[in-house]
Amino acid sequence: MTDLAARLTYACADAFESLGLERKWGAVRRSDRPELADFQCNGAMGSAKQAGRNPREVAAELAERIAGQEDIASVEVAGPGFLNIRVSAQALAVRAEAVRAEEMRGAAPAADRERIVLDFGGPNVAKPMHVGHLRSAVIGDTLQRIFRFLGDDVISDVHLGDWGLQMGHLVSELEDEQPGLVYFDAEYTGPYPDEPPVTIEDLGRLYPQASAKAKSDEARNARSQKAVAELQAGRPGYRALLRHFINVSVAALKQDYAFLNVRFDLWKGESDVDDLIPGLIEDFRKKGIAREDDGAWVVDVSRESDKKEFPPLILMNSRGGTGYHTTDLATVVDRMRSITPAPERMVYVVDARQALHFEQVFRAADMAGLIGEDRLEHIGFGTVNGPDGKPFRTREGGVLRLSDLNAMALEEAGRKMAEADKLPADMPGREREQVAAQVAVAALRFADLQNTRTTNYVFDLDRFTSFEGKTGPYMLYAAVRIKSLLRRAGDEGHAPGDIRVESEAERELVLALDGFGGALLAAREKRMPHILCEHVHGLAQAFSAFYGAHPIAAEKDPARRASRLGLSEAVLGQLECGLNLLGIDVPERM
RNA sequence: GGUCCCGUAGCUCAGCAGGAUAGAGCAACAGAUUCCUAAUCUGUAGGUCACAGGUUCGAGUCCUGUCGGGAUCGCCA
């Protein structure tokens, strides 16, 4: 069964159609005047304007046509042509029961399901993840959860950055530090040691060192460029090093991602499509898409209609090296070939600052007939800023590592929990740690996701970890309180039963429940997780108001108590489901 | 300089193909606990939606311009 808003929209669309007007005017949404109505339809005004009719008359005719619907208690025309609809207590009760019973908690699968590859625009193997990677991880992961929940077929790929100049920096810097390693002996034919010559700390140190030197020293930069060209050309020692770098890096990445509840189907990277690159370049040449320019091979992606300048895409630079434009294109080829059935869409969850890059790649992919430009999508997001409004830095001015950020959140969550001192005295230490981690993850993920994806936001750990306000911890508290309530009622032998919607608080709560499916569909369509956050927060608030207004387990009347317990159960089901879609796990107690 | 995004309450932010009295959270103030987790709830106060024009019966929302902030603009990713 679909939600009330959708059912009412359908009824109104029918009514519009019967008046010879377009169905689209039938859109029904929650009323912004709760004292007047539960839902409203504003289509009478727009459609009347278009058809040259009187809006109030159109509205009145609509009202007459939908008044008989079973869900509807009353319909009124107000103001210039608003349709104010109240639904019956019975309809609300039926909805609440559906939320309680259905696996999807009142939501329904999307109509236009797709086979989607989700590319997380991977972290760079040469450097540890920093705060910026929090966003792609958390937004991308939430999108993959929402997509799957609504029926899309998703293949997620972390897609590591392991092929560009940064690898040249690493190789050459390591050679400076330890020139004696066999990897640097061009005569050596192998085999190479199984033990990596570097630790994750080494990687974290080597790259910034090299990068800093290269910026001021032309010759140093040239050595990195040479190294990466040799790596890409297949020099065995360098390849062996690359393998080590990736393995060391991935082990660390997995820890950070695991902490944040983020998982991928594929751990591919740029280097995985290395063997496709020569063929790709050849293909582009044959098709006449690529042309030579200053020793480089480029693709002109600009168009007549462009308002801004589109620099050509560089397929191969003048030194024979390839960058991420080329690997991204080769990856498209790889996915279309190796994934069956072929993906219908590829979605890239990457920093908004790379918008131009993706526009170039998408155009080139389309030109070469790899996949239509309309099937490629860049889901950009804003930066995580410090209190000064600039991208977040540590006090020393460096970037903050994601692992440090996670640790800070964990510590702060533990501190706040100790302060509140609400955990049962008998809770074992291990469970305490577990709860602290769940609170920390809830804080981080919710804080990030509740922002509109495209805007920047200011990172404020103290605010994010607070149990008050629109925060992850508040959401957990609301859910845990229901668990505790139901557990206690169960202990006393009180079972949830048939839901009746009697009070204003109960009406509001069920109306909140009813919005789940719509919020999910909107979040999916716009790729905007904050819409789901808004819903979950609103639901938690509505439950808290209900909780404050009525006794539930303590209600004396058995039927009413059973109903309220049933309603609580419905709320818990949807709340936990919604939080899980946000990648947030709810503890049993806290 | 070109292009794009942003400017809404003291602070952090929502605002859905233009629609009724612009909403949350925090902070402030006033209340609520012999009773289910008060890590909560209820209420009050707080806004010429940067500014100026335009389209419209109606504009925070669409168009134009101005001011302020940010991002980006060929061999880095």
Side-chain angles (χ1 to χ4, degrees), chain A residues 1 92-107 149 496-499 513 516 565-575 577:
Chain A
M1 187 177 100
L92 289 171
V94 169
R95 275 307 291 157
E97 291 291 4
V99 170
R100 177 152 72 126
E102 291 172 6
E103 205 170 325
M104 289 184 75
R105 304 299 174 186
F149 187 72
D498 292 344
I499 298 172
L513 284 171
F516 188 48
L565 286 170
L567 185 51
S568 300
E569 201 171 58
V571 172
L572 175 62
Q574 191 184 85
L575 197 53
C577 177

Side-chain angles (χ1 to χ4, degrees), chain A residues 348 357-366 373 376-378:
Chain A
Y348 298 78
H357 162 73
F358 285 110
E359 281 181 280
Q360 290 178 292
V361 170
F362 296 169
R363 286 185 177 196
D366 192 309
E373 196 181 338
L376 299 168
E377 214 178 307
H378 173 212

Side-chain angles (χ1 to χ4, degrees), chain A residues 267-347:
Chain A
W267 281 80
K268 296 229 174 195
E270 296 171 340
S271 66
D272 284 306
V273 291
D274 149 50
D275 56 331
L276 295 177
I277 286 175
L280 179 110
I281 293 174
E282 183 56 29
D283 182 49
F284 272 62
R285 282 181 190 166
K286 271 194 199 145
K287 286 179 176 154
I289 302 168
R291 68 174 167 86
E292 199 167 3
D293 185 69
D294 266 351
W297 282 87
V298 302
V299 181
D300 287 312
V301 293
S302 62
R303 291 173 186 159
E304 291 271 328
S305 56
D306 287 340
K307 281 191 161 178
K308 64 179 172 191
E309 230 178 292
F310 266 83
L313 176 148
I314 297 184
L315 216 47
M316 186 196 291
N317 66 31
S318 46
R319 291 174 307 277
T322 53
Y324 77 148
H325 291 94
T326 318
T327 53
D328 274 351
L329 284 169
T331 301
V332 170
V333 173
D334 181 41
R335 287 173 182 156
M336 296 306 281
R337 279 186 197 162
S338 64
I339 298 173
T340 47
E344 295 165 289
R345 181 173 295 277
M346 295 183 201
V347 173

Side-chain angles (χ1 to χ4, degrees), chain A residues 37-195:
Chain A
D38 299 324
F39 295 92
Q40 63 181 328
C41 174
N42 298 345
M45 293 171 287
S47 64
K49 181 178 185 175
Q50 208 174 63
R53 300 176 57 175
N54 180 315
R56 275 197 68 99
E57 273 173 29
V58 171
E61 285 183 50
L62 288 167
E64 208 172 303
R65 275 162 212 254
I66 64 166
Q69 288 282 318
E70 59 166 337
D71 299 331
I72 296 175
S74 70
V75 190
E76 283 166 11
V77 177
F82 296 102
L83 221 51
N84 284 336
I85 303 169
R86 277 204 184 280
V87 292
S88 68
Q90 175 60 24
L92 289 171
V94 169
R95 275 307 291 157
E97 291 291 4
V99 170
R100 177 152 72 126
E102 291 172 6
E103 205 170 325
M104 289 184 75
R105 304 299 174 186
D112 55 340
R113 300 186 289 266
E114 291 183 304
R115 188 169 177 79
I116 302 172
V117 171
L118 206 58
D119 185 317
F120 283 61
N124 198 322
V125 162
K127 15 183 184 174
M129 287 201 281
H130 56 82
V131 268
H133 293 106
L134 176 69
R135 298 219 73 187
S136 97
V138 158
I139 293 169
D141 180 61
T142 299
L143 289 177
Q144 79 172 322
R145 288 168 189 257
I146 292 174
F147 287 166
R148 287 196 177 115
F149 187 72
L150 295 178
D152 292 304
D153 192 1
V154 179
I155 298 135
S156 57
D157 177 10
V158 62
H159 213 68
L160 303 168
D162 58 4
W163 199 235
L165 181 67
Q166 75 269 19
M167 303 317 296
H169 280 328
L170 277 189
V171 169
S172 54
E173 191 68 15
L174 182 63
E175 183 169 18
D176 284 355
E177 283 199 356
Q178 302 186 56
L181 292 175
V182 288
Y183 305 95
F184 302 115
D185 181 356
E187 309 299 313
Y188 185 77
T189 50
Y192 293 95
D194 290 333
E195 279 304 301

Side-chain angles (χ1 to χ4, degrees), chain A residues 214-262:
Chain A
K215 268 181 194 152
S216 57
D217 181 352
E218 191 77 16
R220 176 68 191 81
N221 195 49
R223 283 185 43 232
S224 290
Q225 287 174 335
K226 180 163 174 280
V228 76
E230 288 180 6
L231 170 75
Q232 293 180 350
R235 180 166 161 173
Y238 288 5
R239 284 305 184 95
L241 267 182
L242 175 70
R243 218 46 264 163
H244 283 311
F245 291 159
I246 292 173
N247 290 341
V248 166
S249 188
V250 164
L253 293 175
K254 283 193 170 166
Q255 277 188 9
D256 290 346
Y257 280 128
F259 181 79
L260 290 169
N261 257 340
V262 178

Side-chain angles (χ1 to χ4, degrees), chain A residues 105 479 483 516 536 539 570-582 584-588:
Chain A
R105 304 299 174 186
K483 287 193 180 185
F516 188 48
V536 169
L539 181 62
V571 172
L572 175 62
Q574 191 184 85
L575 197 53
E576 192 159 20
C577 177
L579 288 171
N580 288 343
L581 289 171
L582 296 171
I584 296 170
D585 295 329
V586 182
E588 291 308 305

